[in-house]
Amino acid sequence: AGLGLPGSAWNSRRRAGGSNAPLATGNLVMIPLPPWMRTALYATAVMNVLAAASFLPAGAPVRALVGLPEDGHPLYVATVAMFIFLFGLAYLWTAIVGRSDRLFIALAAGGKFSFFATLVCFWWIGSLPLRAPVLGSADLFFSVLFAIWLFGDA
């Protein structure tokens, strides 16, 4: 209940014309998202779903194009693709329902910043070309937007 499923408290409140105030569901507080944040979540959802395809075992040429290592055991690259794809779906769902809890957005910000920082570190030691962190700066951009929402008036 409270996750936007049919018959849940969240849907009942929306149907009844509930306010934009945070909605408490148990210990979870779902906070309404401003339009700019929903747009950011839609954009990063698309980015994640497309990036996940490049991490599938057959995506080696795409990984090479963006400056990431081509090789890797198929199990490992498929696992990475799965996590990127699942987070993309979570971003999409959050944008659609228009509400989120702070923990999910904090994990999103941390994950996106960590990926960018990892690219920078591997570029710094000479293991990746400069284009990898340059292209990965989109994750830095989204991590900053998510942090703005977290530390703003959300």
Side-chain angles (χ1 to χ4, degrees):
L3 297 177
L5 303 173
S8 71
W10 190 85
N11 273 345
S12 299
R13 182 163 177 176
R14 268 188 75 121
R15 280 194 303 268
S19 71
N20 281 337
L23 175 62
T25 56
N27 292 332
L28 183 67
V29 176
M30 300 298 284
I31 302 168
L33 299 171
W36 67 265
M37 183 62 166
R38 292 180 74 186
T39 300
L41 286 163
Y42 279 122
T44 197
V46 169
M47 187 177 80
N48 269 55
V49 169
L50 293 175
S54 73
F55 280 93
L56 290 171
V62 177
R63 289 192 300 276
L65 184 66
V66 298
L68 297 175
E70 295 177 56
D71 56 348
H73 192 281
L75 173 66
Y76 300 136
V77 291
T79 301
V80 170
M82 175 188 61
F83 278 103
I84 294 170
F85 181 74
L86 289 174
F87 264 91
L89 292 180
Y91 298 140
L92 178 62
W93 177 253
T94 303
I96 289 170
V97 299
R99 293 178 181 268
S100 184
D101 65 310
R102 297 178 77 75
L103 177 60
F104 175 70
I105 300 299
L107 289 171
K112 292 208 165 283
F113 181 80
S114 297
F115 179 69
F116 174 74
T118 301
L119 293 175
V120 169
C121 288
F122 278 87
W123 165 75
W124 186 264
I125 64 171
S127 293
L128 290 177
L130 179 60
R131 73 179 176 275
V134 168
L135 293 172
S137 65
D139 278 310
L140 175 64
F141 174 75
F142 286 113
S143 74
V144 169
L145 289 180
F146 296 165
I148 288 169
W149 182 81
L150 280 169
F151 296 109
D153 292 334

